Amino acid sequence: MLNRIVLMGRLTRKPELRRTQSGVAVTSFSLAVERDYKDAGGNRETDFIDVVAWRGTAEFAAKYLDKGRMAAVTGSLQGRSWQDKEGNKRRSMEVLADSLYFADSKREETTGRGVDVSADDFQEVEDDGDLPF
């Protein structure tokens, strides 16, 4: 079976980094994703998709992504079931993120919402001639 999701949208809030009791990083956020088609009035509808990221992906999201930032997410769809306070069965779907990418250009520093990424934030890869590019 194939369960693969690719989304691009704007974050509706800043991801907050949390840790499990065993110290594993996790964050969740929502993406506002416009549909490809317009309604009769010429407007696009927007879906709000919940995303969960773990470990290094969670730490990246919390460090570099912010509300309003355009991001691309790849991952898989997963469902969760639970009971609410009244005892009703509830179900939700969310994307379990494998990878996150910036999908917009770096914002101007004068806005106060820019992202400062230095070379120290990335692991260096040595080109031994085997890379496809």
Side-chain angles (χ1 to χ4, degrees), residues 53-110:
W54 291 87
R55 297 176 181 78
T57 307
E59 291 174 359
F60 175 88
K63 186 172 182 178
Y64 295 114
L65 298 180
D66 200 358
K67 180 180 178 177
R69 189 84 198 250
M70 181 75 75
V73 175
T74 63
S76 58
L77 189 63
Q78 69 178 11
R80 289 189 303 123
S81 298
W82 75 94
Q83 282 190 345
D84 65 14
K85 294 177 183 176
E86 291 80 36
N88 299 315
K89 289 185 179 181
R90 297 289 189 180
R91 183 174 166 94
S92 68
M93 300 297 281
E94 59 195 10
V95 173
L96 178 59
D98 293 332
S99 302
L100 298 172
Y101 305 93
F102 296 114
D104 58 2
S105 60
K106 184 176 174 180
R107 294 184 179 173
E108 294 294 323
E109 294 300 325
T110 57

Coordinates of all heavy atoms in Angstrom, one line a residue, residues 53-110:
A53 N 5.3 16.6 13.5 CA 6.7 16.3 13.2 C 7.4 15.8 14.4 O 7.2 16.3 15.5 CB 7.4 17.5 12.6
W54 N 8.3 14.9 14.2 CA 9.1 14.3 15.3 C 10.6 14.4 15.1 O 11.1 14.7 14.0 CB 8.8 12.7 15.4 CG 7.4 12.4 15.8 CD1 6.3 12.3 15.0 CD2 6.9 12.2 17.2 NE1 5.2 12.1 15.8 CE2 5.6 12.0 17.1 CE3 7.6 12.2 18.4 CZ2 4.8 11.7 18.2 CZ3 6.8 11.9 19.5 CH2 5.5 11.7 19.4
R55 N 11.3 14.3 16.2 CA 12.8 14.3 16.3 C 13.4 15.5 15.6 O 13.0 16.7 15.8 CB 13.3 13.0 15.8 CG 12.9 11.8 16.6 CD 13.3 10.5 16.1 NE 12.8 9.4 17.0 CZ 11.5 8.9 17.0 NH1 10.7 9.5 16.1 NH2 11.2 8.0 17.8
G56 N 14.3 15.3 14.7 CA 15.0 16.4 14.0 C 14.1 17.3 13.1 O 14.3 18.5 13.0
T57 N 13.1 16.7 12.5 CA 12.1 17.4 11.7 C 11.4 18.4 12.6 O 11.1 19.5 12.3 CB 11.2 16.5 11.0 OG1 11.9 15.5 10.3 CG2 10.3 17.2 10.1
A58 N 11.0 18.0 13.8 CA 10.3 18.8 14.8 C 11.2 20.0 15.2 O 10.8 21.1 15.3 CB 9.9 18.0 16.0
E59 N 12.5 19.7 15.5 CA 13.4 20.7 15.9 C 13.6 21.8 14.8 O 13.7 23.0 15.0 CB 14.7 20.1 16.4 CG 14.6 19.3 17.7 CD 15.8 18.6 18.1 OE1 16.8 18.6 17.4 OE2 15.8 18.0 19.2
F60 N 13.7 21.3 13.5 CA 13.9 22.2 12.4 C 12.6 23.1 12.3 O 12.8 24.3 12.1 CB 14.0 21.4 11.1 CG 14.0 22.2 9.9 CD1 15.2 22.7 9.4 CD2 12.9 22.5 9.2 CE1 15.2 23.5 8.2 CE2 12.9 23.2 8.0 CZ 14.1 23.8 7.6
A61 N 11.4 22.5 12.4 CA 10.2 23.3 12.3 C 10.1 24.4 13.4 O 9.8 25.5 13.1 CB 9.0 22.4 12.4
A62 N 10.4 24.0 14.6 CA 10.4 25.0 15.7 C 11.4 26.1 15.6 O 11.2 27.2 15.9 CB 10.6 24.2 17.0
K63 N 12.6 25.7 15.0 CA 13.7 26.7 14.9 C 13.5 27.7 13.7 O 13.7 28.9 13.9 CB 15.0 26.0 14.8 CG 16.2 26.9 14.8 CD 17.5 26.1 14.9 CE 18.7 27.1 15.0 NZ 19.9 26.3 15.1
Y64 N 13.0 27.2 12.6 CA 13.0 28.0 11.4 C 11.7 28.4 10.8 O 11.6 29.4 10.1 CB 13.8 27.2 10.3 CG 15.2 27.0 10.6 CD1 15.7 25.8 10.8 CD2 16.1 28.1 10.7 CE1 17.1 25.6 11.1 CE2 17.4 28.0 11.0 CZ 17.9 26.7 11.2 OH 19.2 26.5 11.5
L65 N 10.6 27.7 11.2 CA 9.3 28.1 10.6 C 8.5 29.0 11.5 O 8.7 28.9 12.7 CB 8.5 26.8 10.3 CG 9.1 25.9 9.3 CD1 8.2 24.6 9.1 CD2 9.3 26.6 8.0
D66 N 7.7 29.8 10.9 CA 6.9 30.8 11.7 C 5.5 30.9 11.1 O 5.3 30.5 9.9 CB 7.6 32.1 11.7 CG 7.2 33.0 12.9 OD1 6.3 32.7 13.6 OD2 7.7 34.1 13.0
K67 N 4.6 31.5 11.8 CA 3.3 31.8 11.3 C 3.3 32.6 10.0 O 4.1 33.5 10.0 CB 2.4 32.5 12.4 CG 1.0 32.8 11.9 CD 0.3 33.6 13.0 CE -1.1 33.9 12.5 NZ -1.9 34.6 13.5
G68 N 2.6 32.1 9.0 CA 2.5 32.8 7.8 C 3.6 32.4 6.8 O 3.5 32.7 5.6
R69 N 4.6 31.6 7.2 CA 5.6 31.2 6.3 C 5.1 30.1 5.4 O 4.4 29.2 5.9 CB 6.8 30.7 7.2 CG 8.1 30.3 6.4 CD 8.9 31.6 6.2 NE 9.8 31.4 5.2 CZ 11.1 31.3 5.4 NH1 11.6 31.4 6.6 NH2 11.9 31.2 4.3
M70 N 5.5 30.1 4.1 CA 5.1 29.1 3.2 C 6.0 27.9 3.4 O 7.3 28.1 3.4 CB 5.2 29.6 1.8 CG 4.8 28.6 0.7 SD 3.0 28.3 0.6 CE 2.5 29.8 -0.2
A71 N 5.5 26.7 3.5 CA 6.3 25.5 3.7 C 5.7 24.4 2.9 O 4.5 24.3 2.6 CB 6.3 25.1 5.2
A72 N 6.6 23.5 2.5 CA 6.2 22.2 1.8 C 6.5 21.1 2.7 O 7.5 21.1 3.4 CB 7.0 22.1 0.5
V73 N 5.5 20.2 2.8 CA 5.6 19.0 3.7 C 5.5 17.7 2.9 O 4.5 17.7 2.1 CB 4.5 19.1 4.8 CG1 4.6 17.9 5.7 CG2 4.7 20.4 5.6
T74 N 6.3 16.8 3.2 CA 6.1 15.4 2.6 C 5.9 14.5 3.8 O 6.6 14.7 4.9 CB 7.2 14.9 1.8 OG1 8.4 14.8 2.5 CG2 7.5 15.9 0.6
G75 N 5.1 13.5 3.7 CA 4.9 12.6 4.8 C 3.8 11.6 4.5 O 3.5 11.3 3.3
S76 N 3.1 11.1 5.5 CA 2.0 10.1 5.4 C 0.8 10.6 6.2 O 0.9 11.3 7.1 CB 2.5 8.8 5.8 OG 2.9 8.8 7.2
L77 N -0.3 10.1 5.8 CA -1.6 10.4 6.5 C -1.8 9.4 7.5 O -1.7 8.2 7.3 CB -2.7 10.4 5.5 CG -4.1 11.0 5.9 CD1 -4.0 12.4 6.4 CD2 -5.1 10.8 4.9
Q78 N -2.2 9.8 8.7 CA -2.5 8.9 9.8 C -3.8 9.4 10.5 O -4.0 10.6 10.6 CB -1.4 8.7 10.8 CG -1.1 9.9 11.6 CD 0.1 9.6 12.6 OE1 0.8 8.6 12.5 NE2 0.3 10.5 13.5
G79 N -4.6 8.4 11.0 CA -5.8 8.7 11.8 C -5.6 8.4 13.2 O -4.8 7.6 13.6
R80 N -6.3 9.2 14.1 CA -6.3 9.0 15.5 C -7.7 8.9 16.0 O -8.6 9.7 15.5 CB -5.5 10.1 16.2 CG -4.1 10.2 16.0 CD -3.4 11.2 16.9 NE -3.9 12.6 16.8 CZ -4.4 13.3 17.8 NH1 -4.5 12.8 19.0 NH2 -4.8 14.5 17.5
S81 N -7.9 8.1 17.0 CA -9.3 8.0 17.6 C -9.1 8.3 19.1 O -8.1 7.9 19.7 CB -9.9 6.7 17.4 OG -10.0 6.4 16.0
W82 N -10.1 8.9 19.7 CA -10.1 9.2 21.2 C -11.5 9.5 21.6 O -12.5 9.6 20.8 CB -9.2 10.3 21.5 CG -9.7 11.7 21.2 CD1 -10.4 12.6 22.0 CD2 -9.6 12.4 19.9 NE1 -10.7 13.7 21.3 CE2 -10.2 13.6 20.0 CE3 -9.1 12.0 18.7 CZ2 -10.3 14.5 19.0 CZ3 -9.2 12.9 17.6 CH2 -9.8 14.1 17.8
Q83 N -11.7 9.6 22.9 CA -13.0 9.9 23.5 C -12.9 11.3 24.1 O -11.9 11.7 24.8 CB -13.4 8.9 24.6 CG -13.9 7.6 24.1 CD -14.6 6.8 25.2 OE1 -14.3 7.1 26.4 NE2 -15.3 5.8 24.8
D84 N -13.9 12.2 23.8 CA -13.9 13.5 24.3 C -14.4 13.5 25.8 O -14.7 12.4 26.3 CB -14.7 14.5 23.5 CG -16.2 14.1 23.4 OD1 -16.7 13.3 24.2 OD2 -16.9 14.7 22.5
K85 N -14.5 14.7 26.4 CA -14.9 14.7 27.8 C -16.3 14.2 28.1 O -16.7 13.7 29.2 CB -14.9 16.2 28.3 CG -13.5 16.8 28.3 CD -13.5 18.2 28.7 CE -12.1 18.8 28.6 NZ -12.0 20.2 28.9
E86 N -17.2 14.3 27.0 CA -18.6 13.7 27.2 C -18.7 12.2 26.9 O -19.8 11.7 26.9 CB -19.5 14.5 26.3 CG -19.8 16.0 26.7 CD -18.6 16.9 26.3 OE1 -18.1 16.7 25.2 OE2 -18.3 17.8 27.0
G87 N -17.5 11.6 26.5 CA -17.5 10.2 26.2 C -17.8 9.8 24.8 O -18.0 8.7 24.4
N88 N -17.9 10.9 23.9 CA -18.2 10.6 22.5 C -16.9 10.2 21.8 O -15.8 10.7 22.1 CB -18.7 11.9 21.8 CG -20.0 12.4 22.4 OD1 -20.9 11.6 22.7 ND2 -20.1 13.7 22.7
K89 N -17.0 9.3 20.9 CA -15.9 8.8 20.1 C -15.6 9.9 19.1 O -16.4 10.4 18.4 CB -16.1 7.5 19.4 CG -16.2 6.3 20.4 CD -16.3 5.0 19.6 CE -16.3 3.9 20.6 NZ -16.5 2.6 19.9
R90 N -14.3 10.3 19.0 CA -13.8 11.3 18.0 C -12.7 10.7 17.2 O -12.0 9.8 17.6 CB -13.3 12.5 18.7 CG -14.3 13.2 19.6 CD -15.3 13.9 18.7 NE -16.1 14.8 19.4 CZ -17.1 15.5 18.9 NH1 -17.3 15.5 17.6 NH2 -17.8 16.3 19.7
R91 N -12.6 11.2 16.0 CA -11.5 10.8 15.1 C -11.0 12.0 14.3 O -11.7 12.9 14.0 CB -12.1 9.8 14.1 CG -11.1 9.2 13.1 CD -11.8 8.1 12.3 NE -11.0 7.7 11.2 CZ -10.1 6.8 11.2 NH1 -10.0 6.0 12.3 NH2 -9.3 6.5 10.2
S92 N -9.7 12.0 14.1 CA -9.1 13.1 13.3 C -8.0 12.5 12.4 O -7.5 11.4 12.7 CB -8.5 14.1 14.2 OG -7.4 13.6 14.9
M93 N -7.7 13.2 11.4 CA -6.6 12.8 10.4 C -5.5 13.9 10.5 O -5.8 15.1 10.6 CB -7.2 12.7 9.0 CG -8.3 11.7 8.8 SD -7.8 10.0 9.2 CE -6.9 9.6 7.7
E94 N -4.3 13.5 10.4 CA -3.2 14.4 10.4 C -2.1 13.8 9.6 O -2.0 12.7 9.3 CB -2.7 14.7 11.9 CG -2.2 13.4 12.6 CD -2.1 13.6 14.1 OE1 -2.5 14.6 14.6 OE2 -1.5 12.7 14.7
V95 N -1.2 14.7 9.2 CA 0.0 14.3 8.4 C 1.2 14.1 9.3 O 1.5 15.0 10.1 CB 0.3 15.4 7.3 CG1 1.6 15.1 6.6 CG2 -0.9 15.5 6.3
L96 N 1.8 13.0 9.2 CA 3.0 12.7 9.9 C 4.2 13.1 9.0 O 4.4 12.5 8.0 CB 3.1 11.2 10.3 CG 4.4 10.8 11.0 CD1 4.5 11.5 12.3 CD2 4.3 9.3 11.2
A97 N 4.8 14.2 9.3 CA 5.8 14.8 8.4 C 7.1 14.0 8.4 O 7.7 13.8 9.5 CB 6.1 16.3 8.8
D98 N 7.6 13.7 7.2 CA 8.9 13.1 7.1 C 10.0 14.2 6.8 O 11.1 14.2 7.3 CB 9.0 12.2 5.9 CG 8.1 10.9 6.1 OD1 8.0 10.5 7.3 OD2 7.6 10.4 5.1
S99 N 9.6 15.2 6.0 CA 10.4 16.3 5.5 C 9.7 17.6 5.5 O 8.5 17.6 5.1 CB 11.0 16.0 4.2 OG 11.7 14.8 4.1
L100 N 10.4 18.7 5.8 CA 9.9 20.0 5.7 C 10.8 20.9 4.8 O 12.0 20.7 4.9 CB 9.8 20.7 7.1 CG 8.8 20.1 8.1 CD1 9.0 20.7 9.4 CD2 7.4 20.2 7.6
Y101 N 10.3 21.7 4.0 CA 11.1 22.6 3.1 C 10.5 24.0 3.2 O 9.3 24.2 3.2 CB 11.0 22.1 1.7 CG 11.4 20.6 1.5 CD1 10.5 19.6 1.5 CD2 12.8 20.3 1.4 CE1 10.9 18.3 1.4 CE2 13.2 19.0 1.2 CZ 12.2 18.0 1.2 OH 12.6 16.7 1.1
F102 N 11.4 25.0 3.0 CA 10.9 26.3 2.8 C 10.3 26.4 1.4 O 10.9 25.9 0.5 CB 12.1 27.3 2.9 CG 12.8 27.4 4.2 CD1 14.1 27.0 4.4 CD2 12.1 27.9 5.3 CE1 14.7 27.1 5.6 CE2 12.7 28.0 6.6 CZ 14.0 27.6 6.7
A103 N 9.2 27.1 1.3 CA 8.5 27.2 0.0 C 8.4 28.7 -0.4 O 7.7 29.0 -1.3 CB 7.2 26.5 0.0
D104 N 9.0 29.5 0.3 CA 9.0 31.0 0.0 C 10.4 31.5 0.1 O 11.3 30.8 0.7 CB 8.0 31.8 0.8 CG 8.3 31.7 2.3 OD1 9.2 31.0 2.7 OD2 7.5 32.3 3.1
S105 N 10.7 32.7 -0.3 CA 12.0 33.3 -0.1 C 12.2 33.8 1.3 O 11.2 34.1 2.0 CB 12.2 34.4 -1.2 OG 11.2 35.4 -1.0
K106 N 13.4 34.0 1.7 CA 13.7 34.6 3.0 C 13.1 36.0 3.1 O 13.2 36.8 2.2 CB 15.2 34.6 3.2 CG 15.6 35.1 4.6 CD 17.1 35.0 4.7 CE 17.5 35.6 6.1 NZ 18.9 35.6 6.2
R107 N 12.4 36.2 4.2 CA 11.8 37.5 4.4 C 12.8 38.6 4.8 O 13.9 38.3 5.2 CB 10.7 37.4 5.5 CG 9.6 36.5 5.1 CD 8.6 36.6 6.2 NE 7.5 35.7 5.7 CZ 6.5 35.4 6.5 NH1 6.4 35.8 7.7 NH2 5.5 34.6 6.0
E108 N 12.4 39.8 4.5 CA 13.3 40.9 4.9 C 13.6 41.0 6.4 O 12.6 40.8 7.2 CB 12.7 42.2 4.4 CG 12.6 42.4 2.9 CD 13.9 42.4 2.2 OE1 14.9 43.0 2.8 OE2 14.0 41.9 1.1
E109 N 14.8 41.2 6.8 CA 15.1 41.3 8.2 C 14.4 42.4 8.9 O 14.2 42.4 10.1 CB 16.6 41.5 8.4 CG 17.5 40.3 7.9 CD 17.1 39.0 8.6 OE1 16.8 39.0 9.8 OE2 17.2 37.9 8.0
T110 N 14.0 43.5 8.2 CA 13.3 44.6 8.8 C 11.9 44.3 9.3 O 11.4 45.0 10.1 CB 13.2 45.8 7.8 OG1 12.5 45.3 6.6 CG2 14.6 46.3 7.4

